[in-house]
mmCIF file of all heavy atoms in Angstrom:
data_model
loop_
_atom_site.group_PDB
_atom_site.id
_atom_site.type_symbol
_atom_site.label_atom_id
_atom_site.label_comp_id
_atom_site.label_asym_id
_atom_site.label_seq_id
_atom_site.Cartn_x
_atom_site.Cartn_y
_atom_site.Cartn_z
ATOM 1 N N ALA A 110 84.332 79.749 72.832
ATOM 2 C CA ALA A 110 83.891 81.077 72.341
ATOM 3 C C ALA A 110 83.417 81.814 73.730
ATOM 4 O O ALA A 110 83.320 82.985 73.727
ATOM 5 C CB ALA A 110 82.647 81.037 71.531
ATOM 6 N N THR A 126 98.590 87.399 88.831
ATOM 7 C CA THR A 126 98.426 85.948 88.852
ATOM 8 C C THR A 126 99.699 85.155 88.724
ATOM 9 O O THR A 126 99.853 84.017 88.922
ATOM 10 C CB THR A 126 97.496 85.453 87.990
ATOM 11 O OG1 THR A 126 97.855 85.646 86.685
ATOM 12 C CG2 THR A 126 96.067 86.124 88.044
ATOM 13 N N ASN A 153 73.648 89.664 102.000
ATOM 14 C CA ASN A 153 73.265 88.365 102.354
ATOM 15 C C ASN A 153 74.417 87.412 101.968
ATOM 16 O O ASN A 153 74.901 87.443 100.889
ATOM 17 C CB ASN A 153 71.921 87.828 101.691
ATOM 18 C CG ASN A 153 71.438 86.488 102.201
ATOM 19 O OD1 ASN A 153 72.173 85.640 102.595
ATOM 20 N ND2 ASN A 153 70.253 86.265 101.935
ATOM 21 N N ARG A 169 83.219 82.252 97.993
ATOM 22 C CA ARG A 169 83.954 81.310 97.195
ATOM 23 C C ARG A 169 85.068 80.664 97.975
ATOM 24 O O ARG A 169 85.387 79.489 97.834
ATOM 25 C CB ARG A 169 84.362 81.925 95.861
ATOM 26 C CG ARG A 169 85.350 81.008 95.004
ATOM 27 C CD ARG A 169 84.690 79.659 94.792
ATOM 28 N NE ARG A 169 83.961 79.457 93.637
ATOM 29 C CZ ARG A 169 82.992 78.526 93.445
ATOM 30 N NH1 ARG A 169 82.767 77.634 94.319
ATOM 31 N NH2 ARG A 169 82.369 78.388 92.272
ATOM 32 N N GLU A 207 85.108 61.079 96.838
ATOM 33 C CA GLU A 207 84.966 60.542 98.124
ATOM 34 C C GLU A 207 86.044 61.050 99.148
ATOM 35 O O GLU A 207 87.044 61.617 98.697
ATOM 36 C CB GLU A 207 85.145 58.869 98.079
ATOM 37 C CG GLU A 207 83.997 58.224 97.191
ATOM 38 C CD GLU A 207 84.078 56.754 97.254
ATOM 39 O OE1 GLU A 207 84.575 56.197 98.243
ATOM 40 O OE2 GLU A 207 83.719 56.145 96.204
ATOM 41 N N ASP A 227 67.987 71.311 96.008
ATOM 42 C CA ASP A 227 66.572 71.589 96.464
ATOM 43 C C ASP A 227 66.471 72.940 97.269
ATOM 44 O O ASP A 227 65.553 73.597 97.211
ATOM 45 C CB ASP A 227 66.096 70.449 97.381
ATOM 46 C CG ASP A 227 65.768 69.139 96.543
ATOM 47 O OD1 ASP A 227 65.772 69.389 95.204
ATOM 48 O OD2 ASP A 227 65.684 68.124 97.094
ATOM 49 N N SER A 284 74.292 73.544 108.087
ATOM 50 C CA SER A 284 74.114 74.991 108.091
ATOM 51 C C SER A 284 72.798 75.301 107.394
ATOM 52 O O SER A 284 72.191 76.389 107.749
ATOM 53 C CB SER A 284 75.333 75.700 107.496
ATOM 54 O OG SER A 284 75.425 75.311 106.065
ATOM 55 N N VAL A 296 78.194 80.951 106.195
ATOM 56 C CA VAL A 296 77.926 79.767 105.428
ATOM 57 C C VAL A 296 79.132 78.793 105.696
ATOM 58 O O VAL A 296 80.195 79.155 105.974
ATOM 59 C CB VAL A 296 77.967 79.990 103.806
ATOM 60 C CG1 VAL A 296 76.700 80.750 103.529
ATOM 61 C CG2 VAL A 296 79.139 80.738 103.400
ATOM 62 N N PHE A 302 89.076 77.594 102.803
ATOM 63 C CA PHE A 302 89.087 78.546 103.905
ATOM 64 C C PHE A 302 87.800 78.323 104.721
ATOM 65 O O PHE A 302 86.806 77.815 104.244
ATOM 66 C CB PHE A 302 89.194 79.942 103.467
ATOM 67 C CG PHE A 302 90.489 80.363 102.782
ATOM 68 C CD1 PHE A 302 90.663 80.245 101.592
ATOM 69 C CD2 PHE A 302 91.523 80.583 103.557
ATOM 70 C CE1 PHE A 302 91.765 80.617 100.848
ATOM 71 C CE2 PHE A 302 92.741 80.995 103.093
ATOM 72 C CZ PHE A 302 92.899 80.907 101.625
ATOM 73 N N PHE A 307 82.017 87.346 110.151
ATOM 74 C CA PHE A 307 81.582 88.463 109.160
ATOM 75 C C PHE A 307 80.974 89.534 110.142
ATOM 76 O O PHE A 307 80.097 89.312 110.816
ATOM 77 C CB PHE A 307 80.543 87.713 108.319
ATOM 78 C CG PHE A 307 79.782 88.737 107.436
ATOM 79 C CD1 PHE A 307 80.403 89.493 106.495
ATOM 80 C CD2 PHE A 307 78.436 88.819 107.463
ATOM 81 C CE1 PHE A 307 79.698 90.515 105.907
ATOM 82 C CE2 PHE A 307 77.680 89.714 106.811
ATOM 83 C CZ PHE A 307 78.370 90.534 105.863
ATOM 84 N N GLN A 358 98.943 99.051 103.731
ATOM 85 C CA GLN A 358 98.174 98.509 104.804
ATOM 86 C C GLN A 358 97.336 97.219 104.287
ATOM 87 O O GLN A 358 97.051 96.414 105.115
ATOM 88 C CB GLN A 358 97.154 99.510 105.185
ATOM 89 C CG GLN A 358 97.660 100.752 105.834
ATOM 90 C CD GLN A 358 96.614 101.761 106.211
ATOM 91 O OE1 GLN A 358 95.660 101.562 106.945
ATOM 92 N NE2 GLN A 358 96.855 102.963 105.553
ATOM 93 N N ASP A 404 55.710 102.970 75.392
ATOM 94 C CA ASP A 404 55.731 103.409 73.902
ATOM 95 C C ASP A 404 57.218 103.189 73.344
ATOM 96 O O ASP A 404 58.198 103.822 73.823
ATOM 97 C CB ASP A 404 55.437 104.917 73.808
ATOM 98 C CG ASP A 404 55.265 105.399 72.398
ATOM 99 O OD1 ASP A 404 55.935 104.689 71.460
ATOM 100 O OD2 ASP A 404 54.584 106.294 72.064
ATOM 101 N N ARG A 408 61.067 105.099 74.253
ATOM 102 C CA ARG A 408 62.262 104.297 74.592
ATOM 103 C C ARG A 408 63.443 104.687 73.664
ATOM 104 O O ARG A 408 64.589 104.906 74.092
ATOM 105 C CB ARG A 408 61.964 102.764 74.584
ATOM 106 C CG ARG A 408 60.910 102.297 75.589
ATOM 107 C CD ARG A 408 60.965 100.969 75.841
ATOM 108 N NE ARG A 408 60.786 99.980 74.610
ATOM 109 C CZ ARG A 408 59.602 99.491 74.306
ATOM 110 N NH1 ARG A 408 58.506 99.900 74.908
ATOM 111 N NH2 ARG A 408 59.561 98.757 73.207
ATOM 112 N N ALA A 418 77.957 107.095 75.055
ATOM 113 C CA ALA A 418 79.359 106.591 74.748
ATOM 114 C C ALA A 418 80.248 107.697 75.326
ATOM 115 O O ALA A 418 81.399 107.461 75.860
ATOM 116 C CB ALA A 418 79.650 106.305 73.326
ATOM 117 N N GLU A 448 77.153 96.924 67.539
ATOM 118 C CA GLU A 448 77.935 98.086 67.751
ATOM 119 C C GLU A 448 77.609 99.178 66.707
ATOM 120 O O GLU A 448 78.041 100.416 66.990
ATOM 121 C CB GLU A 448 79.511 97.663 67.765
ATOM 122 C CG GLU A 448 79.808 96.754 68.885
ATOM 123 C CD GLU A 448 81.286 96.264 68.745
ATOM 124 O OE1 GLU A 448 82.026 96.974 67.999
ATOM 125 O OE2 GLU A 448 81.642 95.321 69.567
ATOM 126 N N TRP A 451 72.583 101.030 66.550
ATOM 127 C CA TRP A 451 72.011 102.225 66.846
ATOM 128 C C TRP A 451 73.198 103.247 67.258
ATOM 129 O O TRP A 451 74.225 102.962 67.473
ATOM 130 C CB TRP A 451 71.097 102.055 68.165
ATOM 131 C CG TRP A 451 71.741 101.538 69.342
ATOM 132 C CD1 TRP A 451 71.972 100.179 69.505
ATOM 133 C CD2 TRP A 451 72.272 102.195 70.471
ATOM 134 N NE1 TRP A 451 72.605 99.948 70.747
ATOM 135 C CE2 TRP A 451 72.853 101.257 71.446
ATOM 136 C CE3 TRP A 451 72.357 103.581 70.864
ATOM 137 C CZ2 TRP A 451 73.429 101.548 72.620
ATOM 138 C CZ3 TRP A 451 72.929 103.831 71.941
ATOM 139 C CH2 TRP A 451 73.440 102.889 72.915
ATOM 140 N N PRO A 488 64.020 104.301 90.527
ATOM 141 C CA PRO A 488 64.452 103.993 91.724
ATOM 142 C C PRO A 488 65.920 103.671 91.719
ATOM 143 O O PRO A 488 66.421 102.872 90.920
ATOM 144 C CB PRO A 488 63.610 102.782 92.092
ATOM 145 C CG PRO A 488 62.555 102.721 91.092
ATOM 146 C CD PRO A 488 63.039 103.428 89.866
ATOM 147 N N THR A 500 77.120 109.450 89.944
ATOM 148 C CA THR A 500 77.529 110.556 89.086
ATOM 149 C C THR A 500 77.055 110.354 87.649
ATOM 150 O O THR A 500 76.665 111.260 86.901
ATOM 151 C CB THR A 500 79.088 110.695 89.110
ATOM 152 O OG1 THR A 500 79.490 110.940 90.433
ATOM 153 C CG2 THR A 500 79.663 111.880 88.222
ATOM 154 N N LYS A 624 102.782 94.035 94.692
ATOM 155 C CA LYS A 624 103.719 93.101 94.125
ATOM 156 C C LYS A 624 104.223 92.159 95.125
ATOM 157 O O LYS A 624 105.015 91.186 94.888
ATOM 158 C CB LYS A 624 104.906 93.760 93.254
ATOM 159 C CG LYS A 624 104.368 94.448 92.073
ATOM 160 C CD LYS A 624 105.453 94.988 91.245
ATOM 161 C CE LYS A 624 104.843 95.592 89.907
ATOM 162 N NZ LYS A 624 105.924 96.282 89.130
ATOM 163 N N ASP A 641 95.002 79.787 95.346
ATOM 164 C CA ASP A 641 96.346 79.757 94.798
ATOM 165 C C ASP A 641 97.150 80.943 95.345
ATOM 166 O O ASP A 641 98.281 81.079 94.997
ATOM 167 C CB ASP A 641 96.428 79.688 93.294
ATOM 168 C CG ASP A 641 95.989 78.190 92.852
ATOM 169 O OD1 ASP A 641 96.209 77.226 93.450
ATOM 170 O OD2 ASP A 641 95.480 78.181 91.758
#
Side-chain angles (χ1 to χ4, degrees):
T126 64
N153 183 340
R169 179 48 96 196
E207 299 186 27
D227 288 348
S284 67
V296 294
F302 294 94
F307 169 58
Q358 298 176 57
D404 186 334
R408 298 197 300 267
E448 296 174 14
W451 57 277
T500 301
K624 292 187 178 179
D641 288 327

